[in-house]
């Protein structure tokens, strides 16, 4: 972490135009690359982001990790932790997005998931075995809303900021496709899948330290069923960030799971 923070930062225009692997392997060019035009998300993010120094990033990362451990309900601290520790993983995710046609479309369109952008009434009309209908049912059964995700504020690069935004807004979609509820066992299990699938440090932290807070009966179920299932799916599942979920509403959820390599845990 300290090594990452004190490392010399690449020019923003260069980092916006090239994937990290390309930056590391291309020969040094004395001419400054021309910056890509900003889209609406990037313009708004650069206007609203909070700029911090490397030292401030270290302090925020350390402080938010302690606060999140003491009180897992502090979603603001968990969000801060994700932004201050996840840059390397986000660059890797960006490489993954750019390597697939579906991921490229997501980065070009930058879709958002909340009640103003998704026609939930239309999703309710879909057949019950479709992904869209399952998503609406998940939201109702667990009494959650896609509008509750915190905005990204501390990442320097707007593309990485979008990826973190996308990760947060797709969290309930992952619950849906994985067949996991929002109770403590379900959240810890989903965090393991997210950690192994994305490499985000905050996901590993949530998975490890979330399990510590399980009650004895929950811990037995976790060790016997949930943890083995989560580790197996996390290792086997295809990269989930490049999935354009909004284009999959009408897809049969069982076929979608089969495509992604996901098996559902039998909790009975």
């Amino acid at each position: 972490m300290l090594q990452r923070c004190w490392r010399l930062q690449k020019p923003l225009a260069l980092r916006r135009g090239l994937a990290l692997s390309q930056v590391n392997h291309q020969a040094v060019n004395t001419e400054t690359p021309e910056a890509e035009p900003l889209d609406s998300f990037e313009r708004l993010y650069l206007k609203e982001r909070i700029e911090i120094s490397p030292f401030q990033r270290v302090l925020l990362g350390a402080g938010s990790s302690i606060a999140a451990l003491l009180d897992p309900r502090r979603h603001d601290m968990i969000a801060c932790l994700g932004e201050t520790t996840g840059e390397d993983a986000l660059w890797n995710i960006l490489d993954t997005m750019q390597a697939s046609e579906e991921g490229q479309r997501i980065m070009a369109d930058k879709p958002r998931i909340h009640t103003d952008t998704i026609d939930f009434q239309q999703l309710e009309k879909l057949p019950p075995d479709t992904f869209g209908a399952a998503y609406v049912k998940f939201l109702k059964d667990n009494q959650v809303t896609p509008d509750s995700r915190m905005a990204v504020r501390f990442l320097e690069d707007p593309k990485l900021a979008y990826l973190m935004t996308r990760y947060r807004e797709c969290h309930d979609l992952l619950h849906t496709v994985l067949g996991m509820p929002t109770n403590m066992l379900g959240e810890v299990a989903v965090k393991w899948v997210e950690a192994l699938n994305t490499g985000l440090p905050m996901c590993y932290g949530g998975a490890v330290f979330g399990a510590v807070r399980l009650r004895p009966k929950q811990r037995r179920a976790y060790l016997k069923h949930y943890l083995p299932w989560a580790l197996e799916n996390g290792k086997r599942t295809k990269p989930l960030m490049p999935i354009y979920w909004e284009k999959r509403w009408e897809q049969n959820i069982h076929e979608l799971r089969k495509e992604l390599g996901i098996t559902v845990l039998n909790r009975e």
Side-chain angles (χ1 to χ4, degrees):
M1 177 67 189
L2 289 173
Q3 182 182 5
R4 175 67 186 174
C5 289
W6 287 109
R7 189 180 304 166
L8 291 176
Q9 296 292 314
K10 300 178 181 69
L12 180 58
L14 176 60
R15 288 161 54 197
R16 285 184 49 243
L18 298 173
L20 183 60
S21 59
Q22 294 173 297
V23 172
N24 288 338
H25 291 92
Q26 286 186 353
V28 176
N29 192 328
T30 56
E31 297 181 1
T32 303
E34 184 178 351
E36 297 176 1
L38 298 171
D39 57 35
S40 58
F41 175 90
E42 293 173 335
R43 288 194 298 271
L44 180 61
Y45 176 74
L46 291 175
K47 180 180 178 181
E48 297 182 347
R49 73 174 178 181
I50 300 174
E51 297 188 35
I52 57 177
S53 68
F55 181 67
Q56 289 173 319
R57 189 174 298 277
V58 172
L59 289 180
L60 280 173
S64 59
S65 63
I66 295 173
L69 285 175
L70 294 175
D71 186 358
R73 295 168 297 181
R74 288 292 304 273
H75 298 295
D76 56 338
M77 292 293 97
I78 295 174
C80 180
L81 178 63
E83 295 176 39
T84 53
T85 63
E87 186 172 334
D88 285 335
L90 289 169
W91 281 116
N92 291 332
I93 293 172
L94 180 58
D95 283 344
T96 304
M97 302 292 283
Q98 293 174 335
S100 78
E101 182 179 345
E102 198 169 9
Q104 291 174 17
R105 290 204 306 271
I106 293 173
M107 293 307 297
D109 298 345
K110 291 188 174 59
R112 302 294 303 277
I113 298 176
H114 44 72
T115 52
D116 292 333
T117 61
I118 304 297
D119 188 347
F120 287 97
Q121 291 184 345
Q122 183 61 34
L123 295 186
E124 289 179 333
K125 298 177 183 177
L126 294 174
D129 59 351
T130 59
F131 174 59
Y135 175 51
V136 172
K137 184 177 186 301
F138 167 85
L139 294 177
K140 288 186 174 181
D141 289 349
N142 294 278
Q143 298 182 344
V144 293
T145 171
D147 295 336
S148 61
R149 304 301 170 188
M150 296 192 66
V152 177
R153 287 290 181 264
F154 298 114
L155 286 165
E156 178 185 357
D157 191 282
K159 280 186 171 57
L160 301 191
Y162 174 74
L163 287 175
M164 180 60 78
T165 299
R166 180 74 176 172
Y167 159 75
R168 291 176 182 173
E169 293 182 350
C170 289
H171 180 73
D172 290 335
L173 296 171
L174 263 62
H175 270 277
T176 302
V177 76
L178 291 169
M180 278 287 124
T182 57
N183 58 24
M184 195 64 179
L185 273 172
E187 290 292 350
V188 172
V190 170
K191 274 290 177 283
W192 270 119
V193 176
E194 289 180 336
L196 293 168
N197 199 264
T198 67
L200 286 166
M202 61 161 286
C203 295
Y204 282 101
V208 172
F209 294 106
V212 174
R213 304 180 70 88
L214 294 174
R215 296 188 295 272
K217 184 177 180 180
Q218 290 177 316
R219 189 173 295 113
R220 288 192 294 271
Y222 169 72
L223 293 174
K224 185 176 181 180
H225 301 293
Y226 285 78
L227 180 58
W229 170 87
L231 295 178
E232 179 185 356
N233 277 269
K235 294 176 182 177
R236 183 186 56 223
T237 301
K238 293 181 180 180
L240 297 174
M241 286 293 289
I243 302 301
Y244 208 144
W245 302 105
E246 299 91 328
K247 304 294 186 182
R248 307 295 192 104
W249 295 135
E250 298 182 11
Q251 185 173 355
N252 181 284
I253 191 168
H254 305 295
E255 294 178 358
L256 177 59
R257 287 167 176 159
K258 183 177 180 180
E259 175 189 339
L260 299 177
I262 291 172
T263 59
V264 177
L265 177 65
N266 185 1
R267 300 196 303 273
E268 295 181 359

